[in-house]
Amino acid sequence: MTMRERGTIVGEPGPVPMSSATAHHEAGHAIACEHFGLSWVIHGPSDDDNFMSRTELHNVGTTAPGFDLESVAFIAMAGWAAESRFVGSWKDPYVREGAAHDFVMLENLAEERRELITEQAKSLVASEWHRVQEIAAEVLAKFG
């Protein structure tokens, strides 16, 4: 399956080039969407309301059984995990700040589930790192 069958990158370059870290962050969300059989759309940083970029998930058929709030949090945390892996630190405060919205999704879960979901997102990113890099490269070719 090709990238274009699973997702789309839309928009125009913004006022500043997208960073490699941000491209990897959005690619992390994308591969997590694919994990659940969802397509994705990465929007470029083309206006003041969307300065950093964002990834939307799209249901292209029947959602995987059991897709729930934990699944959404997993997709959110995969962006943080990919960016953290790219910068080489799980504790980088800049990455954590940039992923603040993603952590809000995680905080909606019961406390005992948060670490598990985070570790699962890190594991997916590690196992699909080549795919993360492939998507990030295409994002950077358009917005970098």
Side-chain angles (χ1 to χ4, degrees), residues 13-90:
V16 296
M18 183 184 287
S19 72
S20 294
T22 299
H24 281 79
H25 180 107
E26 299 307 332
H29 292 314
I31 61 112
C33 287
E34 292 176 359
H35 173 76
F36 289 105
L38 301 170
S39 67
W40 46 266
V41 176
I42 295 176
H43 294 265
S46 58
D47 56 48
D48 291 336
D49 293 334
N50 183 30
F51 185 70
M52 293 299 290
S53 76
R54 73 181 190 280
T55 301
E56 294 177 348
L57 59 92
H58 291 271
N59 187 353
V60 292
T62 304
T63 304
F67 190 84
D68 57 11
L69 182 59
E70 284 193 4
S71 305
V72 174
F74 176 87
I75 291 170
M77 293 313 295
W80 165 82
E83 185 174 357
S84 294
R85 180 180 169 111
F86 175 76
V87 301
S89 172
W90 299 112

